Amino acid sequence: MPSSMDVAVEAAKNAGIPQNRIFLLEGEVEGYTTMKDLLSIGRSYGPEGQAKSFKIPLGKKNKDVCGFLSFSSGTTGLPKAVMIAHQNVIAQCLQVRQITPETHKKVLAVLPLFHITGLVHQLHLPVLLNAEIYMLPAFSMEAMLDAVSTFKIKEILLVPPILIRMVRDPIVDKYDLSHVERFSSGAAPLSAEILSLLEKKFPGTGFKQGYGMTESCSCITAHPIGKMGYEYAFRVGTIVANTEVKIIDPDTGAELGYNQPGEILARGPQVVMGYLNNSKATRETFDEEGWLHTGDVGKIDEEGFITITDRIKEMIKVKGIGVAPAELEDLLLGHPDVEDAAVLAVPDEYAGEKPKAYVVLKSARRSDDVMAIGRNLIQYVQEKKVRHKWLAEVEFTDEIPKSASGKILRRVLRDQQRNGEKKGIVVRSGKDTTRAKL
């Protein structure tokens, strides 16, 4: 689109894509080919000059043919090209349709279409549901809220960073959202504080979320009809149709029982083909029996609901005991001074590793005594958690780096920590503090 041309041209240049390979979906910009031009060129070849309709090669099925390449988030490592088969998209749409209210006929498309949820739930699923799609050419809170208000969209699919703004951004109060029935989320966890604020700000609404990843073509679990209330919001739903899930001990591989946390494995028709030209990563993630090793730590309860507790690679090992960053992040987000937070491991001679918190203060507190706030946050965690979960230090920062879907980019924080970049004010537990410019 014309409004995206500056970014598109620069990105294409960096990727080595020539100007004649950039096409405009709508509008006109001098020197660039539009969709209207392409259609006209195609028609000029006549009936005999048209490409033949695609057919699945002989001996292959939908599950054997790659339909899309979608890139994994790269939150803990470099993004990988995920091969998504036609079957994966079809299966996911059929799975989600079973748990979608029949009244869901208007879909707000604000998520990026390169993200698996945006691709499947905003482009493919609405076709199956015979729903209308309201797509924003570029995101802004004003444009999104205006669309929701004008078109009376009843269910809003958003990622956590936007939901946080829904409860904290004063601009929201300027719009009539009384018709909204439900909020839907995914991609990253929401804190209990934000869920509570959402329910308080929008009384009478429901909440649902899905759990999955690019490698599962979006959802492995989702909230079923009848269980889309806030009392279920801290869990990520039940297993979708035709899907198996098991929880295993990440060290022994033994299957675990109810309410026992371990690595989540999933198997079903939505699980993708693997990674493009990366057999090593494919073998590490998808085993010979077809199980997707998610790398997520979670548990399943007697109701069939799954709760995510953390990522295996992100677990902090304090004297050999696993500490989940998400648990401490959730606690910090409940503190009245904290706007955002991320927790990582820092090396410790005695314990091996200890937790460190990166904290963004609420704007009203940034001019206060930051050192005192840091000490208070360390004490706050000590009062709420057992000793091995205590923070070694707190570093104040302007923002927490996140992906487009709202996941914390821990590798970026790790790189900054390793290279001594962007050092803010640091408050250490029981030690002298160091000060640097924010």
Side-chain angles (χ1 to χ4, degrees):
M1 298 184 207
S3 60
S4 307
M5 283 304 291
D6 290 343
V7 174
V9 169
E10 187 64 29
K13 182 181 176 182
N14 292 337
I17 299 172
Q19 180 176 318
N20 65 356
R21 305 297 291 176
I22 301 174
F23 306 109
L24 277 165
L25 293 175
E26 61 179 50
E28 294 182 0
V29 175
E30 189 175 347
Y32 292 91
T33 305
T34 67
M35 279 300 296
K36 185 178 178 181
D37 296 331
L38 288 174
L39 290 169
S40 179
I41 293 167
R43 281 192 290 266
S44 72
Y45 293 139
E48 301 302 319
Q50 305 302 313
K52 293 182 179 179
S53 299
F54 173 78
K55 291 185 178 179
I56 297 174
L58 208 60
K60 290 186 179 290
K61 297 182 178 180
N62 271 336
K63 67 182 179 66
D64 305 314
V65 181
C66 182
F68 298 97
L69 288 176
S70 189
F71 285 79
S72 63
S73 297
T75 54
T76 56
L78 293 174
K80 297 179 282 290
V82 180
M83 296 188 292
I84 301 173
H86 293 270
Q87 172 187 277
N88 302 144
V89 177
I90 295 167
Q92 175 69 179
C93 290
L94 291 170
Q95 289 166 329
V96 176
R97 182 175 67 171
Q98 294 183 33
I99 52 175
T100 299
E102 292 183 2
T103 55
H104 186 51
K105 294 298 180 183
K106 292 183 178 182
V107 175
L108 177 69
V110 296
L111 306 186
L113 301 181
F114 58 76
H115 186 273
I116 189 63
T117 301
L119 177 69
V120 177
H121 292 252
Q122 294 177 172
L123 287 184
H124 294 88
L125 179 62
V127 176
L128 185 62
L129 298 176
N130 193 27
E132 298 171 353
I133 306 170
Y134 297 85
M135 187 170 293
L136 302 182
F139 176 80
S140 71
M141 282 297 285
E142 292 90 342
M144 182 198 76
L145 292 166
D146 188 58
V148 173
S149 177
T150 301
F151 300 109
K152 303 299 179 188
I153 299 170
K154 296 179 179 180
E155 179 176 314
I156 314 175
L157 172 59
L158 302 171
V159 289
I162 304 177
L163 280 168
I164 290 171
R165 290 189 66 181
M166 289 293 290
V167 299
R168 290 183 170 165
D169 195 329
I171 193 176
V172 177
D173 297 330
K174 297 179 181 180
Y175 294 84
D176 179 10
L177 303 179
S178 58
H179 62 279
V180 174
E181 296 177 354
R182 211 165 25 254
F183 292 95
S184 180
S185 182
L190 268 172
S191 71
E193 183 208 11
I194 297 301
L195 289 168
S196 176
L197 290 172
L198 194 65
E199 183 179 16
K200 184 178 179 180
K201 190 174 182 71
F202 301 98
T205 60
F207 181 88
K208 66 174 188 174
Q209 64 176 315
Y211 159 69
M213 56 199 65
T214 308
E215 289 84 349
S216 62
C217 197
S218 197
C219 291
I220 294 169
T221 70
H223 282 88
I225 294 172
K227 295 190 176 179
M228 295 180 180
Y230 285 93
E231 65 269 30
Y232 300 99
F234 67 96
R235 294 177 284 181
V236 294
T238 56
I239 303 163
V240 298
N242 293 343
T243 301
E244 300 170 85
V245 165
K246 64 179 177 180
I247 314 291
I248 66 166
D249 185 309
D251 296 320
T252 66
E255 284 193 43
L256 301 174
Y258 288 125
N259 300 307
Q260 292 181 293
E263 184 182 7
I264 298 170
L265 273 60
R267 183 167 64 183
Q270 75 275 42
V271 172
V272 304
M273 301 169 71
Y275 301 113
L276 179 68
N277 299 328
N278 196 337
S279 56
K280 180 177 182 291
T282 298
R283 287 194 303 271
E284 290 172 351
T285 305
F286 308 89
D287 68 27
E288 293 178 353
E289 295 180 351
W291 290 101
L292 163 63
H293 291 245
T294 67
D296 288 317
V297 178
K299 58 186 178 181
I300 188 166
D301 60 30
E302 290 83 356
E303 285 187 273
F305 274 85
I306 286 179
T307 302
I308 308 298
T309 56
D310 223 297
R311 290 280 296 169
I312 287 177
K313 291 180 180 178
E314 293 167 2
M315 293 289 278
I316 302 166
K317 287 295 183 79
V318 181
K319 299 180 184 177
I321 304 171
V323 176
E327 179 185 351
L328 296 177
E329 288 159 1
D330 189 57
L331 177 66
L332 289 167
L333 287 169
H335 192 281
D337 295 339
V338 176
E339 179 73 29
D340 204 357
V343 174
L344 268 72
V346 288
D348 183 84
E349 265 186 32
Y350 178 63
E353 291 180 332
K354 282 190 175 182
K356 170 182 177 174
Y358 288 84
V359 170
V360 179
L361 288 175
K362 289 183 178 175
S363 55
R365 299 305 311 272
R366 291 175 190 174
S367 58
D368 294 349
D369 185 348
V370 175
M371 306 295 281
I373 295 174
R375 288 190 290 270
N376 287 339
L377 289 176
I378 288 171
Q379 184 178 352
Y380 171 72
V381 174
Q382 289 175 351
E383 290 171 354
K384 303 284 186 180
K385 297 294 176 182
V386 295
R387 181 178 289 273
H388 65 268
K389 296 180 182 180
W390 290 2
L391 296 175
E393 59 185 62
V394 172
E395 180 173 332
F396 294 99
T397 183
D398 292 331
E399 65 176 346
I400 303 298
K402 294 183 179 180
S403 69
S405 59
K407 292 181 181 178
I408 297 171
L409 294 174
R410 299 181 196 277
R411 59 182 172 82
V412 174
L413 286 172
R414 274 194 290 268
D415 289 343
Q416 290 176 3
Q417 185 173 285
R418 191 181 302 115
N419 301 328
E421 300 172 0
K422 295 187 175 180
K423 201 77 171 176
I425 293 176
V426 179
V427 181
R428 295 190 172 92
S429 175
K431 297 180 181 178
D432 293 335
T433 56
T434 60
R435 178 180 289 273
K437 189 177 180 182
L438 274 172

